Amino acid sequence: MAPYALSQVQRLADRSPSITGPEIVAELVPPPQFEHASFESYRPDLNFPSQLEAVERLGTFAGAWLPQRPSGFFSRTRKPKAELPGIYLDGGFGVGKTHLLAALWHAAPGPKYFGTFIEYTALVGALGYAATVKQLSGARLICIDEFELDDPGDTMLMTRLLGELVASGTRVAATSNTPPNSLGEGRFAAIDFLREIQAMSANFEIVRIDGLDYRRRDIEGHAIAVPRDELDQMVPALLERGSAVTRDDFGDLIRHLSTVHPSKYIKMIHGIDVIALNDVYLLTDQTDALRLVAFIDRVYDAEIPIIANGQPLNEVFDEEMLSGGYRKKYQRSQSRLVALTTGELPPHD
């Protein structure tokens, strides 16, 4: 690699950002790829009628914010059962749940917020519970993408937070790969925890979305790993054309993620165009794997391509992980890693 290139290569392992409550709030909007998402721009797979049905049901949910019309998309008379204040999109990976959630967010009047489960819990950590309730109070809609119940403490925290907000008139929309009354199944057996899940699910109409993973429809179902000599050539080529590139040993990145709170991962990758990784290997520690999942979620939202050598990135989770209680997280991450990895130079903007 040329000396000038060496001096320009950055390392994610050297980035240890800080983040404040107001910065987290400012990021509570849909990811860039869904900046203009709408119900009209969603392309349902007609082989799966539940996709079109989901669009219609979300249109009805959004109709509560609009004046009654004699005709048109939002005039449908069918309403969610029992006028529930929440709607929950359940389905597999890559069926368009986030697109539809973002479309609902765009259709809603403000104030409104859109974030992942971890972003909301990070906001509580940064501001404190009472200040978070004050910040979010008055919102017409709160969207929670990929609602996770991996930690009973976080689950109870979010249940309490949503309960207060719903009681004050806020409506809630969420996505998950598991219905809300099944989210903790097989993970924790505490009676109190299961009671909290059931109480939360009672606020939501559940909308099932079936279909194929759009991220894998037109590409082979595995991440691309490039030979080391090709990676050595690709990085300076990217730098020469002005791309901001990071290059890390996979092990260094995994160790560094353990020192950075997941809420800060979004700032860790700020300003980066391409991520390069050396010597990817199979993970056997579940804590390391879950941190990587959270990191890849942020990389996917930021649409940053990855070039890597070693083990294909979608094969870094071992069999025990893929058959355990967090398997849906790992499967979602595998889907995203297939979409992010490339064996060619990423397109230049």
Side-chain angles (χ1 to χ4, degrees):
M1 190 182 299
Y4 77 89
L6 281 171
S7 66
Q8 294 175 21
V9 175
Q10 305 175 60
R11 295 177 70 243
L12 290 170
D14 292 332
R15 293 184 160 207
S16 298
S18 60
I19 194 165
T20 65
E23 287 177 317
I24 296 174
V25 171
E27 295 289 340
L28 292 179
V29 295
Q33 65 266 42
F34 300 112
E35 183 178 359
H36 303 293
S38 67
F39 296 129
E40 292 75 18
S41 64
Y42 178 75
R43 294 184 293 176
D45 184 338
L46 298 182
N47 292 315
F48 297 93
S50 61
Q51 294 189 12
L52 186 57
E53 291 169 5
V55 176
E56 295 175 348
R57 292 169 80 176
L58 284 167
T60 300
F61 189 83
W65 292 304
L66 299 176
Q68 293 297 312
R69 301 179 182 181
S71 61
F73 184 81
F74 291 108
S75 66
R76 305 181 190 277
T77 57
R78 183 176 50 159
K79 297 181 180 180
K81 292 185 293 185
E83 300 293 341
L84 296 175
I87 194 161
Y88 210 109
L89 305 182
D90 166 58
F93 314 103
V95 296
K97 300 187 302 297
T98 301
H99 180 118
L100 290 174
L101 189 68
L104 179 64
W105 185 90
H106 287 298
K112 54 190 176 180
Y113 301 97
F114 184 110
T116 62
F117 182 85
I118 196 170
E119 286 174 311
Y120 288 107
T121 56
L123 183 62
V124 175
L127 295 182
Y129 181 81
T132 299
V133 172
K134 183 177 180 180
Q135 172 68 50
L136 300 180
S137 290
R140 303 293 295 277
L141 175 69
I142 289 179
C143 293
I144 308 170
D145 198 20
E146 293 296 349
F147 206 115
E148 304 285 358
L149 295 183
D150 300 324
D151 182 288
D154 283 346
T155 300
M156 292 180 186
L157 174 70
M158 284 298 291
T159 300
R160 179 186 171 198
L161 177 64
L162 291 179
E164 291 199 36
L165 294 172
V166 167
S168 67
T170 296
R171 304 177 84 203
V172 177
T175 72
S176 178
N177 298 310
T178 307
N181 58 355
S182 302
L183 275 170
E185 203 170 287
R187 295 184 187 173
F188 306 101
I191 294 176
D192 290 343
F193 183 49
L194 296 177
R195 184 183 302 120
E196 289 294 336
I197 295 174
Q198 186 60 43
M200 181 181 65
S201 71
N203 289 317
F204 293 92
E205 176 193 8
I206 302 175
V207 177
R208 174 73 188 180
I209 306 178
D210 300 301
L212 302 176
D213 185 344
Y214 77 91
R215 291 183 287 263
R216 301 176 74 161
R217 288 175 193 164
D218 301 318
I219 57 177
E220 293 184 44
H222 60 82
I224 296 173
V226 301
R228 180 61 176 260
D229 59 344
E230 288 188 22
L231 187 61
D232 289 342
Q233 295 172 13
M234 294 170 76
V235 170
L238 288 163
L239 291 166
E240 188 171 4
R241 73 187 195 187
S243 297
V245 184
T246 62
R247 185 171 186 177
D248 293 79
D249 288 336
F250 184 67
D252 289 344
L253 175 62
I254 294 299
R255 285 184 288 273
H256 184 61
L257 292 178
S258 70
T259 70
V260 180
H261 190 276
S263 65
K264 301 176 183 178
Y265 292 169
I266 191 168
K267 289 191 72 175
M268 230 178 98
I269 60 175
H270 179 72
I272 299 302
D273 298 317
V274 182
I275 293 172
L277 296 174
N278 305 322
D279 303 324
V280 175
Y281 56 81
L282 181 70
L283 295 174
T284 56
D285 182 271
Q286 184 147 257
T287 302
D288 287 343
L290 290 172
R291 290 192 190 104
L292 179 64
V293 167
F295 177 74
I296 293 302
D297 285 345
R298 301 287 75 76
V299 174
Y300 180 78
D301 287 345
E303 300 182 287
I304 302 173
I306 300 173
I307 51 177
N309 83 293
Q311 185 102 346
L313 273 165
N314 67 313
E315 298 177 10
V316 299
F317 309 117
D318 69 18
E319 288 302 317
E320 185 175 353
M321 295 172 191
L322 294 173
S323 61
Y326 300 113
R327 62 187 177 278
K328 289 183 180 291
K329 272 193 169 186
Y330 297 131
Q331 291 166 355
R332 182 189 74 224
S333 194
Q334 286 179 314
S335 169
R336 292 181 169 183
L337 284 163
V338 168
L340 287 170
T341 55
T342 177
E344 301 177 355
L345 289 181
H348 185 48
D349 292 334

